Amino acid sequence: QVHLVESGGGLVQAGGSLRLSCATSGRIFSISTMGWYRQAPGKQRELVATITSGDTTRYADSVKGRFTVSRDNAKNTVILQMNSLKPEDSAVYYCNVAFRSSPFTNWDTAWGQGTQVTVSS
């Protein structure tokens, strides 16, 4: 089993910053892409940012220039630095990781439980 635990969410005023962190634990042989998704009430879950094992990043157009995704491979952790937050960034943010538990198993994905981000106007 692989577990992801997000932290760093909360309430912030528009224009403020938050830093989300996602720590992994469990049986992990290797990790490829790590990323963040979000889901606002009444909306579908959407990609926010991802980072590959080669540090190639991808961002939703709505967060480009404001959010930065990074990873610490030694700690199997992924970070989302969110600056210049807007009320429309309010959502539950989920961490997602693609991993293998051994060199003989297929790639699988794991999700965190989510952390609430609320941006007040």
Side-chain angles (χ1 to χ4, degrees):
Q1 284 280 18
V2 171
H3 298 281
L4 308 183
V5 178
E6 300 106 334
S7 60
L11 173 64
V12 65
Q13 288 188 335
S17 298
L18 283 174
R19 183 174 182 268
L20 304 184
S21 178
C22 175
T24 64
S25 64
R27 187 179 178 186
I28 296 174
F29 171 71
S30 65
I31 294 177
S32 89
T33 301
M34 308 179 82
W36 292 91
Y37 293 73
R38 67 187 181 187
Q39 187 168 18
K43 295 187 177 181
Q44 289 188 334
R45 189 173 297 188
E46 63 177 1
L47 179 147
V48 176
T50 61
I51 182 167
T52 69
S53 56
D55 288 336
T56 298
T57 57
R58 175 187 175 191
Y59 295 94
D61 288 342
S62 59
V63 307
K64 283 180 181 177
R66 301 187 297 121
F67 291 11
T68 302
V69 62
S70 60
R71 61 192 285 168
D72 183 337
N73 292 323
K75 298 180 180 180
N76 287 339
T77 299
V78 60
I79 304 294
L80 185 67
Q81 178 65 44
M82 306 185 293
N83 298 327
S84 302
L85 283 161
K86 304 175 181 180
E88 51 263 43
D89 293 318
S90 297
V92 177
Y93 283 69
Y94 297 91
C95 173
N96 175 266
V97 169
F99 70 96
R100 282 193 301 175
S101 295
S102 82
F104 312 108
T105 57
N106 293 327
W107 288 97
D108 200 349
T109 60
W111 289 92
Q113 82 286 353
T115 184
Q116 177 71 47
V117 171
T118 303
V119 184
S120 63
S121 58

